[in-house]
Amino acid sequence: MEGRDLCLIDQRLLPHALKILRLSTYPEAIAAIREMAVRGAGTIGVTGGFAMAQAALAAPAGGGFWQEVERAAGAIAAARPTAKNLSYAVDRVRAAMKGAPGIEEARRRAVAEGQAVYDDDARMTEEIAKAGLSLFQGRRSVLTHCNAGWLAYPGWGSALAPIYLAHRQGQSVFVYATETRPRSQGAKLTSWELTQAGVPHALIADTAAGHLMAKGEVELAVVGADRIAANGDTANKIGTYTLAVLAREHRIPFYVAAPSPTFDAECPSGDLIPIEERDEKEVLEVSGLLATGEAATVRMANPGTCAKNPAFDVTPARLITGFITEQGIVEPNAQAIGRFLHSR
Amino acid sequence: MEGRDLCLIDQRLLPHALKILRLSTYPEAIAAIREMAVRGAGTIGVTGGFAMAQAALAAPAGGGFWQEVERAAGAIAAARPTAKNLSYAVDRVRAAMKGAPGIEEARRRAVAEGQAVYDDDARMTEEIAKAGLSLFQGRRSVLTHCNAGWLAYPGWGSALAPIYLAHRQGQSVFVYATETRPRSQGAKLTSWELTQAGVPHALIADTAAGHLMAKGEVELAVVGADRIAANGDTANKIGTYTLAVLAREHRIPFYVAAPSPTFDAECPSGDLIPIEERDEKEVLEVSGLLATGEAATVRMANPGTCAKNPAFDVTPARLITGFITEQGIVEPNAQAIGRFLHSR
């Protein structure tokens, strides 16, 4: 955050252009979340926290201040429904403001708490990196889905954090990145991150994951999460559930990397997690670069055809080997998750 | 076939343009198969059979005729490795030519047998349509992968044949077509075919199949095949295996529609089926129409990234509920397949 402005990478333009988006108001931040200029559970959360600070700075110091902050909190938390991190960050900033002696102090606390959410998230991903490191003992090839790197989460990212650390420590790591249609975050974001970091990897179509697992090419699967219910059921990018079923079929360990802000203690099970349905255009169209270097979107699908576009799915806890958290590996059951969340 | 010319729809241009490709020589036919201007097990086979006729018509009537025909047979059969129908058609035309009294008669037989392969294939798909009809009793929503319609197989197609018949007979059918990256045959070809035929359908990203099955939205899965081993293991478009694993997980019947030319009695099991690895550009790039209506290919993926692109996978017989063939439903085991192939 610079003054009242929030500066973020416009993830819609990657990997073809690296452009910083400057957001001056909280409605601009909401639009950036909705349109997925910023995406990834942690990044959405942190953007939401700073958007609360923007709302506090902009709200009139007169009688309407708290009403305006409450209105903003509702709108920010509703920008996207699935990731828990968004309401987590909004609630933290709101709670920090409450009881402040005067509006100026409330504003100061809002900015400080937005920054604290960011700093805490970043620190937790360092712990996740260390906690996941042992999974690479004797394993080289890891499959990941969507993007759960530093674009998606402050600091090191979630699923990619242990991969980055293992690579830095000189371990031989090879990543299979699934394309992750419809928005192709694997092809556009994860592949870009891994290239920047020099981590050996290959992109595969989402259809190829089963074949590679059957051929013994995948030794470990690690994904991120958008919301984890109290019983361990996990909402993550559409396609995660399919990969978890395949991993179980091939006895491949399937880990979900997520710090505590992604856990939702008040949601008892996965069937209660709201699943966002997004515009069918995401399925029907694809964007990229023309041979001329110009950015373009092409209509790929048949013109008369409609598409269904659920953006997330739920992986039941029974298919998850463990959660990689800031406090180590947590077993995928209500008791272990309860202890973990209680101790944070 | 018109004279020496083979006229086929250029499937690379669909759904955005319907253009007939005219192939005058067998090397042109080989190139069309390799570049997937023609694709689909049956269509590849029939093209190969007619390409043999082209080779016979063009081979010099002097002493080198039979050597030239043999050379062509080898080259045509090797155009793509996975679909059994290609070597089946080449072998049929070659066998029909053998023992002909003179070169002119050999040429006549080559053309006639090429046409006979086509006619037989088309007739078999009508039988497949009838054989699969009973699967729609009490079931409405069917998922299919890639394109196994009349573009892929002469006549009615394979997997889509029973769907077309059920729809024509007034049954309520709804098709989920998976996009089928990397070449998006579901989005481009199956969706186009279904739109032409007025069959209600929705396109989904490959990543969404598991979620829809978990939600109870899929009652039946039917796919085509490129080669079926003697034990029932089935090679088909990459992603088929994943769908079969998901169907089993959700107790959804999973059928493979294929006439006898797709069965390979000499291949004992799926691990011996050659799996084609295709150009990584198919994964890295996507083609479609710009808003201007102009056809274009965009580089979708990160520039520094390589891709792995297996074009097929093998679904073990244990995950297949049954084969829909020209002689009815055949159980997925060596005995039943042996009886079926023996009786043809």
Side-chain angles (χ1 to χ4, degrees):
Chain A
M1 204 167 180
E2 293 180 11
R4 292 189 179 193
D5 288 356
L6 193 47
C7 297
L8 291 150
I9 293 175
D10 188 339
Q11 297 190 37
R12 294 169 302 184
L13 306 181
L14 284 173
H16 304 302
L18 181 57
K19 200 181 142 191
I20 303 297
L21 204 62
R22 181 175 283 268
L23 308 171
S24 303
T25 66
Y26 84 83
E28 286 177 27
I30 291 174
I33 292 171
R34 279 216 184 109
E35 294 158 16
M36 294 178 67
V38 294
R39 51 145 293 287
T43 303
I44 288 173
V46 164
T47 303
F50 282 130
M52 280 293 288
Q54 289 181 310
L57 293 173
F65 177 82
W66 290 104
Q67 289 96 313
E68 174 59 19
V69 166
E70 277 307 305
R71 187 161 47 235
I76 295 164
R80 288 190 73 191
T82 304
K84 173 62 185 165
N85 302 64
L86 183 54
S87 61
Y88 162 85
V90 168
D91 289 347
R92 259 186 73 167
V93 174
R94 188 163 48 180
M97 291 170 72
K98 282 279 160 65
I103 285 171
E104 271 319 301
E105 173 62 10
R107 286 174 172 157
R108 198 199 58 74
R109 289 189 188 179
V111 173
E113 193 67 10
Q115 186 62 46
V117 170
Y118 180 96
D119 294 340
D120 289 350
D121 267 12
R123 200 181 54 246
M124 285 188 269
T125 66
E126 282 184 49
E127 297 304 320
I128 284 177
K130 292 176 204 158
L133 203 55
S134 65
L135 304 177
F136 292 89
Q137 301 290 344
R139 296 194 186 103
R140 182 174 170 264
S141 71
V142 54
L143 180 140
T144 190
H145 188 55
C146 193
N147 171 261
W150 61 261
L151 289 165
Y153 222 99
W156 290 59
S158 54
L160 296 190
I163 292 170
Y164 285 138
L165 186 57
H167 175 71
R168 272 200 204 186
Q169 294 195 349
Q171 288 191 51
S172 171
V173 177
F174 186 89
V175 180
Y176 284 111
T178 50
E179 178 183 358
T180 319
R181 281 279 288 152
R183 290 189 70 111
S184 304
Q185 291 94 334
K188 294 182 171 186
L189 305 181
T190 295
S191 293
W192 180 80
E193 276 197 34
L194 294 172
T195 298
Q196 303 304 309
V199 179
H201 66 286
L203 176 64
I204 57 168
D206 298 298
T207 49
H211 175 71
L212 290 176
M213 288 188 186
K215 290 282 170 197
E217 299 267 340
V218 177
E219 294 168 291
L220 174 67
V222 184
V223 300
D226 289 86
R227 188 187 297 239
I228 300 168
N231 72 344
D233 294 349
T234 296
N236 191 44
K237 180 52 54 194
I238 190 78
T240 302
Y241 170 58
T242 290
L243 295 172
V245 170
L246 287 170
R248 174 59 51 96
E249 175 82 6
H250 299 94
R251 299 166 194 273
I252 296 165
F254 187 90
Y255 284 89
V256 173
S260 50
T262 303
F263 287 76
D264 185 354
E266 279 155 35
C267 179
S269 64
D271 51 329
L272 299 170
I273 300 175
I275 298 295
E276 180 182 9
E277 184 90 20
R278 291 185 62 86
D279 194 320
E280 64 169 2
K281 278 191 182 173
E282 295 185 343
V283 179
L284 303 172
E285 300 178 347
V286 174
S287 64
L289 278 198
L290 294 169
T292 59
E294 201 186 342
T297 297
V298 294
R299 167 90 190 193
M300 180 269 307
N302 177 55
T305 292
C306 298
K308 240 182 112 64
N309 185 20
F312 301 91
D313 59 24
V314 173
T315 298
R318 66 180 167 82
L319 296 177
I320 296 167
T321 309
F323 296 104
I324 313 174
T325 77
E326 73 269 24
Q327 291 193 18
I329 308 292
V330 171
E331 283 180 36
N333 61 63
Q335 294 72 26
I337 291 168
R339 280 196 302 274
F340 161 57
L341 294 180
H342 195 73
S343 69
R344 71 176 164 184
Chain B
M1 204 169 181
E2 294 180 10
R4 292 190 179 192
D5 287 358
L6 192 48
C7 296
L8 291 150
I9 292 174
D10 189 339
Q11 296 190 38
R12 294 169 301 185
L13 306 181
L14 284 173
H16 304 301
L18 180 59
K19 201 182 143 192
I20 303 297
L21 204 61
R22 182 175 282 269
L23 309 170
S24 303
T25 66
Y26 84 82
E28 284 177 28
I30 291 175
I33 292 171
R34 277 215 187 109
E35 294 157 16
M36 294 178 67
V38 293
R39 53 145 293 286
T43 303
I44 288 172
V46 163
T47 304
F50 282 130
M52 280 294 288
Q54 289 181 310
L57 293 172
F65 177 81
W66 290 103
Q67 289 95 312
E68 174 57 19
V69 166
E70 278 308 305
R71 188 162 45 237
I76 295 164
R80 289 190 73 191
T82 303
K84 172 62 185 165
N85 301 63
L86 183 55
S87 62
Y88 161 85
V90 168
D91 289 347
R92 259 186 73 167
V93 173
R94 188 162 49 178
M97 291 171 72
K98 281 279 161 63
I103 285 170
E104 272 319 301
E105 173 61 11
R107 286 174 172 157
R108 198 200 58 75
R109 289 188 188 179
V111 173
E113 193 67 11
Q115 186 63 46
V117 170
Y118 180 96
D119 294 340
D120 290 351
D121 267 12
R123 202 181 53 244
M124 285 187 271
T125 66
E126 283 183 48
E127 297 304 320
I128 284 176
K130 292 175 204 159
L133 204 54
S134 65
L135 304 177
F136 292 89
Q137 301 289 346
R139 295 193 187 102
R140 182 174 169 263
S141 71
V142 53
L143 180 139
T144 190
H145 188 56
C146 194
N147 171 260
W150 61 260
L151 289 165
Y153 222 100
W156 290 58
S158 55
L160 296 191
I163 292 170
Y164 284 138
L165 187 57
H167 176 70
R168 272 200 204 186
Q169 294 195 350
Q171 289 191 50
S172 171
V173 177
F174 186 89
V175 180
Y176 283 110
T178 50
E179 177 183 0
T180 319
R181 280 281 287 154
R183 290 190 70 110
S184 305
Q185 292 94 334
K188 293 183 172 187
L189 305 180
T190 295
S191 293
W192 180 80
E193 276 197 33
L194 294 173
T195 299
Q196 304 303 309
V199 179
H201 65 285
L203 176 65
I204 57 167
D206 298 298
T207 49
H211 174 71
L212 290 176
M213 288 187 187
K215 290 280 170 199
E217 300 267 340
V218 177
E219 294 169 291
L220 175 67
V222 184
V223 300
D226 289 86
R227 188 187 298 239
I228 301 168
N231 71 344
D233 293 350
T234 296
N236 191 45
K237 180 53 54 195
I238 189 78
T240 303
Y241 169 59
T242 291
L243 295 172
V245 170
L246 287 170
R248 175 58 52 96
E249 175 82 7
H250 299 94
R251 299 168 195 269
I252 295 165
F254 187 88
Y255 283 90
V256 174
S260 50
T262 304
F263 288 76
D264 185 353
E266 280 155 34
C267 179
S269 64
D271 50 329
L272 300 169
I273 299 175
I275 298 295
E276 181 182 10
E277 184 90 20
R278 291 184 62 86
D279 194 321
E280 65 170 1
K281 278 191 182 173
E282 296 185 343
V283 179
L284 303 171
E285 299 178 347
V286 174
S287 64
L289 278 198
L290 295 169
T292 59
E294 201 185 342
T297 298
V298 294
R299 167 89 190 193
M300 179 270 307
N302 176 54
T305 291
C306 299
K308 239 181 113 64
N309 185 20
F312 301 92
D313 58 26
V314 173
T315 299
R318 67 180 166 80
L319 296 178
I320 296 167
T321 309
F323 296 105
I324 313 174
T325 77
E326 72 270 23
Q327 291 193 18
I329 307 293
V330 172
E331 283 179 36
N333 61 62
Q335 295 71 28
I337 291 169
R339 281 195 302 274
F340 161 58
L341 295 180
H342 195 72
S343 69
R344 70 176 162 183

